[in-house]
Amino acid sequence: MKEEFMTKENNKPEDGKWDLIQVGNLVKYFPVRGGILQRVRAWVQAVDDVSFTVREGETVGLVGESGCGKTTVGRTMLRLTEPTSGQVQFEGVNVFGLRGHELKAMRRNMQIIFQDPYASLDPRMPIGESIAEGLKIHNLGSPKERFGVVIEMLRKVGLEDYHARRYPHEFSGGQRQRIGIARALALRPKFIVADEPVSALDVSIQSQVLNILKDLQREFGLTYLFIAHNLSVVEHISDRVAVMYLGKVVEMTDRDELFRNPLHPYTQALMSAIPIPDPTIKRERIILQGDVPSPLNPPQGCRFHPRCPVAMAQCAIEEPTFREVSAGHSMACWRVE
C-alpha cells in the first residue's frame, strides 16, 4: 500500500488529532551469511511493506504471533535497527533521513520501553543514574536538576525516593518495569514504543503497569505503539489495533470494531483463543493447521494461505492488497470484498 505523507497543517481530522507518526512501506530484511567469506546466502524477511499511522495522543496496539515482526517494526521506527527501505515520518520529518545532531534531537521525542527491563539496565549502575542517563546525553539541566527529575519520575511510577540509590537486582520484575517506564519518560518524549512491557509480569502486576501507562498518557499527552501478543491486554489499552502475520499487517481498525467484527481469518483465529471468564459461555475455537512458515522463504501469494481455513486458489497465486474495506477498517484478504 502506497502511503501519502502529509504535514501537520494539512492532516488534521475533525477531532483535531493529526498523524504524529506515519509509517510508509517499511521493509527490514536481515542477511543470513555463510561460508568462509561470510557471503549473504539468504534474507530473513522480518518486515515486508508495512504501512500505518499513529495519531497524536492515541495508543495503537500491534499484535500477532511470536516472530511475526512486531518488535522489529518498533525498533526500526526508532532506528535502533536500520531499515532496508521505506519511510517513517515523525511530525512530518523523515526519521530515516536524519543524521548526527538532528537524529539525536529527534530521539528525545521517541523513546522505548523494553520487554526485559533487567537486560536493559546496567547491573553496576544505581537505577537513579540509569534514569538520568538520557538527561546527561542530551545535556539537560545541572546534576541537581537531573536528580530532581529522577525523583519526580520515580514517584510518577509508584516508587520511592530512596530507590534511586539501589541496583537493578534489588527489585522485582514489576518494579524493574516501572523503572523502565521512568527512564523512557525522563526526557518527556511525545512518542513511546512499549515492546511487550507486561508480558513477563503476573496478572495483578500487569494491571498496575497498564494503569500507570494510561495515567501517564493522560498527564503528559503521550502517544504509544503498544506491542503485545495478549489480545486481552491490547483490548484494555489500545484505541486502534493492527494485526501482523509473517512480516505484514493483515488487518487494522478501531479496537471496538476489531473485537466485535474481525474480518481476516487470521484475526478471527486469534480472537477465538481469548478465554471467556464465564464457564457457561462456549466459544468455537478456530484451530489453525500447520506451523508458521519461515520468513526465510515465505509462501507465494497470501502468506497466510497455507494455514487459512477458507483459502481459495487465488490466495496461493496473488498477494492481496491491504485496502480499506469499510470506514476506518483496512485488511488484506481476497475473501472479503
Side-chain angles (χ1 to χ4, degrees):
M1 182 183 73
K2 203 70 176 175
E3 190 79 11
E4 182 180 351
F5 290 110
M6 300 182 179
T7 62
K8 185 173 183 177
E9 288 70 24
N10 63 9
N11 187 26
K12 204 166 188 177
E14 295 179 358
D15 60 4
K17 293 184 178 182
W18 60 291
D19 292 340
L20 182 72
I21 299 282
Q22 295 170 299
V23 180
N25 309 109
L26 182 64
V27 175
K28 177 58 186 178
Y29 292 174
F30 292 97
V32 178
R33 301 181 184 274
I36 297 175
L37 300 178
Q38 289 296 295
R39 290 175 175 156
V40 176
R41 299 298 181 90
W43 294 90
V44 176
Q45 301 178 29
V47 177
D48 193 5
D49 196 20
V50 166
S51 298
F52 62 91
T53 61
V54 185
R55 296 167 65 188
E56 180 184 28
E58 79 167 347
T59 300
V60 169
L62 190 60
V63 302
E65 293 173 288
S66 296
C68 70
K70 306 184 300 295
T71 295
T72 303
V73 168
R75 294 178 68 91
T76 306
M77 287 173 65
L78 303 183
R79 282 189 63 184
L80 298 178
T81 300
E82 289 296 326
T84 301
S85 64
Q87 288 192 61
V88 171
Q89 291 210 2
F90 177 82
E91 295 187 322
V93 177
N94 182 15
V95 176
F96 297 161
L98 299 178
R99 298 290 184 273
H101 293 295
E102 291 180 336
L103 178 60
K104 182 178 179 180
M106 177 66 72
R107 281 181 165 156
R108 277 191 61 185
N109 291 314
M110 303 173 73
Q111 293 292 307
I112 185 170
I113 301 169
F114 293 99
Q115 179 178 359
D116 184 356
Y118 189 70
S120 64
L121 293 171
D122 188 337
R124 298 167 297 179
M125 183 183 292
I127 62 104
E129 293 185 23
S130 293
I131 296 172
E133 195 170 18
L135 300 170
K136 293 179 182 178
I137 291 171
H138 290 274
N139 297 317
L140 298 176
S142 64
K144 184 177 180 181
E145 290 170 334
R146 290 197 288 265
F147 182 74
V149 171
V150 169
I151 297 302
E152 179 188 2
M153 293 302 105
L154 286 174
R155 292 173 179 174
K156 292 289 184 186
V157 299
L159 296 177
E160 302 295 335
D161 298 3
Y162 63 85
H163 286 143
R165 297 186 296 273
R166 292 189 174 180
Y167 290 84
H169 71 272
E170 299 180 75
F171 296 92
S172 67
Q175 288 176 320
R176 285 198 288 265
Q177 196 57 278
R178 291 170 189 247
I179 295 165
I181 295 171
R183 186 172 59 173
L185 198 64
L187 290 171
R188 300 293 174 92
K190 298 179 181 178
F191 174 65
I192 293 179
V193 174
D195 184 11
E196 303 205 32
V198 298
S199 63
L201 306 179
D202 294 337
V203 174
S204 60
I205 306 301
Q206 284 185 10
S207 61
Q208 294 175 17
V209 172
L210 291 174
N211 289 333
I212 288 173
L213 289 172
K214 295 182 74 171
D215 291 342
L216 293 173
Q217 184 176 37
R218 285 191 292 267
E219 182 174 354
F220 296 104
L222 297 171
T223 302
Y224 293 136
L225 177 68
F226 191 91
I227 298 170
H229 59 262
N230 187 329
L231 286 167
S232 299
V233 170
V234 170
E235 184 180 16
H236 176 70
I237 198 170
S238 300
D239 299 303
R240 289 189 298 142
V241 181
V243 181
M244 283 192 71
Y245 181 80
L246 204 61
K248 288 185 175 290
V249 174
V250 297
E251 186 167 5
M252 185 171 187
T253 186
D254 293 337
R255 171 196 60 194
D256 295 338
E257 170 69 12
L258 186 78
F259 282 83
R260 180 178 61 251
N261 184 33
L263 296 179
H264 197 281
Y266 176 62
T267 310
Q268 293 171 356
L270 292 179
M271 295 296 178
S272 74
I274 300 176
I276 300 175
D278 187 341
T280 63
I281 299 176
K282 300 296 182 181
R283 173 181 282 157
E284 183 180 353
R285 280 294 309 273
I286 300 175
I287 307 297
L288 298 178
Q289 302 299 317
D291 298 323
V292 180
S294 170
L296 275 169
N297 186 27
Q300 185 179 356
C302 175
R303 296 192 173 188
F304 184 59
H305 86 265
R307 306 175 69 198
C308 182
V310 295
M312 51 188 182
Q314 186 181 11
C315 301
I317 301 170
E318 189 177 358
E319 183 179 341
T321 304
F322 187 74
R323 65 195 186 281
E324 191 172 60
V325 296
S326 62
H329 197 154
S330 299
M331 64 171 300
C333 181
W334 291 121
R335 279 285 185 182
V336 178
E337 298 297 332

